[in-house]
Amino acid sequence: MISRHDVAAVRASSRASSLLQGVRRLAAAAVLALGFAGVAQAAIDAYTFKDDAERARYTELTRELRCPKCQNQDIADSNAPIAADLRKEIYRMLGEGQSNQQIIDFMVDRYGEFVRYKPELNAHTWLLWFGPAGLLLVGAVLIGVIVVRRRRSDREDADMLSDEERQRLAHLLDKNRE
């Protein structure tokens, strides 16, 4: 027969299970809400262009220039306030009829070569362009030197056997062949 204590325990267990399930649902809802909060705040620029060529120039320029705050995002993808200002500035300059090079030069004068994803090759950027290849070359030469030294060391170690050790080694090798 089922006692009152058993019924009370089942009811308490059921309430705890319901409470735990409610907490899980609340946590899942909070995670979803936080996940969508970033999407809801994403900046959307609504610019009107006189033709598709101007829209393509705008897209090309915003993809070519780096956000000064984000550092590894172009200004087209960045939600930083400075990126929004730069997009507005590009739109304004396109509206004034300035060329892509004039716009890029303006941005470089204002923010430095860093603002470009592909900086020009000049005296200030040669290390940026050739540094990785130079480091790779130095690493390959270093590995080559280490390999050559180890091979020489191994040969010298093999030549350091005395006559007695060589005879013993020959005897052991002959013994293993039998």
Side-chain angles (χ1 to χ4, degrees):
M1 187 165 280
I2 300 175
S3 70
R4 288 185 200 172
H5 296 296
D6 291 338
V7 171
V10 168
R11 284 183 182 161
S13 173
S14 176
R15 277 187 239 132
S17 176
S18 296
L19 182 63
L20 183 61
Q21 195 173 25
V23 168
R24 285 184 184 158
R25 286 182 182 162
L26 184 63
V31 167
L32 282 173
L34 289 173
F36 288 124
V39 174
Q41 294 177 0
I44 299 174
D45 296 328
Y47 295 121
T48 55
F49 299 96
K50 60 183 174 186
D51 57 13
D52 287 337
E54 189 174 275
R55 181 183 310 277
R57 285 181 57 207
Y58 175 81
T59 303
E60 177 188 343
L61 286 166
T62 57
R63 295 276 178 211
E64 188 176 329
L65 297 172
R66 181 190 324 254
C67 174
K69 181 177 180 185
C70 303
Q71 297 183 2
N72 208 18
Q73 266 187 320
D74 55 34
I75 61 173
D77 293 334
S78 176
N79 289 332
I82 190 155
D85 292 343
L86 291 176
R87 288 190 298 264
K88 286 177 191 173
E89 189 67 19
I90 290 172
Y91 179 73
R92 181 191 63 77
M93 293 173 87
L94 283 173
E96 292 175 357
Q98 294 189 21
S99 69
N100 287 8
Q101 192 58 47
Q102 288 173 321
I103 295 171
I104 290 172
D105 289 343
F106 172 79
M107 295 295 179
V108 169
D109 288 343
R110 192 167 184 184
Y111 298 101
E113 278 292 324
F114 175 79
V115 79
R116 300 181 75 175
Y117 265 121
K118 297 176 186 172
E120 290 181 351
L121 179 59
N122 60 35
H124 299 287
T125 61
W126 69 269
L127 185 61
L128 176 67
W129 281 100
F130 300 115
L135 286 175
L136 186 64
L137 184 63
V138 167
V141 168
L142 186 63
I143 288 173
V145 167
I146 290 171
V147 167
V148 167
R149 284 185 181 173
R150 283 196 180 169
R151 285 185 182 168
R152 283 184 191 160
S153 172
D154 290 345
R155 277 191 236 135
E156 289 172 2
D157 289 345
D159 292 342
M160 297 178 109
L161 293 176
S162 67
D163 289 337
E164 183 181 317
E165 291 172 330
R166 286 184 189 169
Q167 288 174 357
R168 186 168 176 239
L169 180 62
H171 176 69
L172 288 172
L173 290 174
D174 288 340
K175 197 177 192 181
N176 284 338
R177 288 184 190 164
E178 295 174 359

